[in-house]
Amino acid sequence: MIDTPTTRRAKHPETGGERPAVLECRDLSVHFDAPDGRISAVNGISFDLHRGQCLGIVGESGSGKSQTFLAILGLLASNGHASGSVKLHGEEILNVSRRRLDAIRGEKLAIVFQDSITGLTPHKRIGEQLAEVLTQHRGLGRAAARAKVLEMLELVRIPEAEKRFRMYPHEFSGGMRQRVMVAQALLCQPDVLIADEPTTALDVTVQAQILKLFKGLADHTNTALVMITHDLGVVAGLCDEVMVMYAGRVVEHAPVDELFYQPRHPYTRGLLACMPRADRDSEELTAIPGQPPDLEALPPGCAFAPRCPQAFARCEQERPSLQTARPGHLKACHLEELP
Ligand SMILES: Nc1ncnc2c1ncn2[C@@H]1O[C@H](COP(=O)(O)OP(=O)(O)O)[C@@H](O)[C@H]1O
Ligand code: SF4
Ligand SMILES: [Mg+2]
């Protein structure tokens, strides 16, 4: 058992014993074969996910967030390779047959992507597409599927659901399409729902509404939720715990409040310092100086060293491993304690 915030808090309410995880990911790595060599996109990720839990995955673009979960879903590009172990209800699902994965996806694991239109077929009416999820995966008849879809459209607050049922994706606004995607993902009541930057393309108010709705529905169905985002602000109100990724590795993993109030990794601190705040002018908004490293030529030591304000000699030679900073709080940094 790894010492993550999840495993620490995952006591069974009645027996007090360990509650089994819905999803157990151990030492997951992903690499891609590229013309100039091998790209190490994800390295040694481990976490547990329990029913009703919301896990945030945060990091700059290119840090390996999407590939981690695409690997879990068996959706890597053809030049991608995954290793390690991923168990869903105890069943190994990493690198299993396409047939098995097709059965698992949609029923037990679902994903919502950022670009909502790509998930919907343009020439099919919305209602028909949603009903198919139920007729194909749940074996429902047409009338029952239609009734369930209408109920779900109302749940995700799509006005005039009856009318919208017969409309095509392009007739919906971005925000409405995204609601449809949320409805589609939740229709089969998956055990794990992965939201990969689902609202990034939408304006801030619509984003907040949809994320809240998402979380509410997941809570209602006891679905485990993974919220992938480059925006720490998103995880604050929604997630129970957060994994911060940098250059394909987890650099910090902690309960959400601890991450915000007692961050232990200089990269997390950098991300927090970049967050917009009411007491700060938007002009003062900063980004962490420098760029993430080239994944084909990762430095031997800490990948964050070239950008870290606290780097010292050891950082350039030795890669810090992910270790317990305090019970349930992991960090990968050589600094004993941050000031
Ligand atoms: N098909 C591919 N071939 C080569 N490299 C890839 C491929 N897909 C993704 N990558 C690499 O994986 C890295 C991590 O990508 P990703 O997980 O999508 O990042 P993000 O954190 O933005 O979701 C990218 O920076 C890219 O270099
Ligand atoms: S190991 Fe060194 S370079 Fe890396 S984050 Fe910690 S202090 Fe900075
Ligand atoms: Mg991504």
PDB file of all heavy atoms in Angstrom, residues 65-67 196-197 228, ligand 3:
ATOM      1  N   LYS A  65      -0.283  15.027 -18.087  1.00  0.00           N
ATOM      2  CA  LYS A  65      -1.591  14.808 -17.461  1.00  0.00           C
ATOM      3  C   LYS A  65      -2.495  13.959 -18.350  1.00  0.00           C
ATOM      4  O   LYS A  65      -3.034  12.940 -17.932  1.00  0.00           O
ATOM      5  CB  LYS A  65      -2.281  16.160 -17.162  1.00  0.00           C
ATOM      6  CG  LYS A  65      -1.436  17.127 -16.360  1.00  0.00           C
ATOM      7  CD  LYS A  65      -2.159  18.425 -16.067  1.00  0.00           C
ATOM      8  CE  LYS A  65      -2.564  19.252 -17.278  1.00  0.00           C
ATOM      9  NZ  LYS A  65      -1.421  19.783 -18.060  1.00  0.00           N
ATOM     10  N   SER A  66      -2.656  14.402 -19.592  1.00  0.00           N
ATOM     11  CA  SER A  66      -3.572  13.673 -20.485  1.00  0.00           C
ATOM     12  C   SER A  66      -3.058  12.280 -20.806  1.00  0.00           C
ATOM     13  O   SER A  66      -3.835  11.312 -20.792  1.00  0.00           O
ATOM     14  CB  SER A  66      -3.770  14.435 -21.797  1.00  0.00           C
ATOM     15  OG  SER A  66      -4.419  15.650 -21.555  1.00  0.00           O
ATOM     16  N   GLN A  67      -1.756  12.165 -21.073  1.00  0.00           N
ATOM     17  CA  GLN A  67      -1.235  10.850 -21.475  1.00  0.00           C
ATOM     18  C   GLN A  67      -1.382   9.823 -20.356  1.00  0.00           C
ATOM     19  O   GLN A  67      -1.578   8.640 -20.617  1.00  0.00           O
ATOM     20  CB  GLN A  67       0.227  10.950 -21.936  1.00  0.00           C
ATOM     21  CG  GLN A  67       0.445  11.915 -23.106  1.00  0.00           C
ATOM     22  CD  GLN A  67      -0.486  11.677 -24.283  1.00  0.00           C
ATOM     23  OE1 GLN A  67      -0.810  10.542 -24.614  1.00  0.00           O
ATOM     24  NE2 GLN A  67      -0.949  12.753 -24.902  1.00  0.00           N
ATOM     25  N   ASP A 196     -10.982  15.874 -18.730  1.00  0.00           N
ATOM     26  CA  ASP A 196      -9.703  16.426 -19.164  1.00  0.00           C
ATOM     27  C   ASP A 196      -9.905  17.857 -19.645  1.00  0.00           C
ATOM     28  O   ASP A 196     -10.319  18.086 -20.769  1.00  0.00           O
ATOM     29  CB  ASP A 196      -9.106  15.552 -20.277  1.00  0.00           C
ATOM     30  CG  ASP A 196      -7.657  15.919 -20.564  1.00  0.00           C
ATOM     31  OD1 ASP A 196      -7.191  16.946 -20.023  1.00  0.00           O
ATOM     32  OD2 ASP A 196      -6.997  15.185 -21.315  1.00  0.00           O
ATOM     33  N   GLU A 197      -9.610  18.795 -18.785  1.00  0.00           N
ATOM     34  CA  GLU A 197      -9.780  20.229 -19.061  1.00  0.00           C
ATOM     35  C   GLU A 197     -11.138  20.470 -19.719  1.00  0.00           C
ATOM     36  O   GLU A 197     -11.215  21.091 -20.786  1.00  0.00           O
ATOM     37  CB  GLU A 197      -8.662  20.737 -19.986  1.00  0.00           C
ATOM     38  CG  GLU A 197      -7.287  20.254 -19.549  1.00  0.00           C
ATOM     39  CD  GLU A 197      -6.298  21.369 -19.269  1.00  0.00           C
ATOM     40  OE1 GLU A 197      -6.725  22.524 -19.140  1.00  0.00           O
ATOM     41  OE2 GLU A 197      -5.118  21.058 -19.134  1.00  0.00           O
ATOM     42  N   ILE A 228      -8.710  16.956 -14.583  1.00  0.00           N
ATOM     43  CA  ILE A 228      -7.405  17.342 -15.126  1.00  0.00           C
ATOM     44  C   ILE A 228      -7.451  18.813 -15.529  1.00  0.00           C
ATOM     45  O   ILE A 228      -8.366  19.217 -16.247  1.00  0.00           O
ATOM     46  CB  ILE A 228      -7.065  16.491 -16.372  1.00  0.00           C
ATOM     47  CG1 ILE A 228      -7.071  14.997 -16.011  1.00  0.00           C
ATOM     48  CG2 ILE A 228      -5.732  16.909 -16.974  1.00  0.00           C
ATOM     49  CD1 ILE A 228      -6.839  14.079 -17.192  1.00  0.00           C
TER      50      ILE A 228
HETATM   51 MG    MG B   3      -3.772  17.606 -21.778  1.00  0.00          MG
END
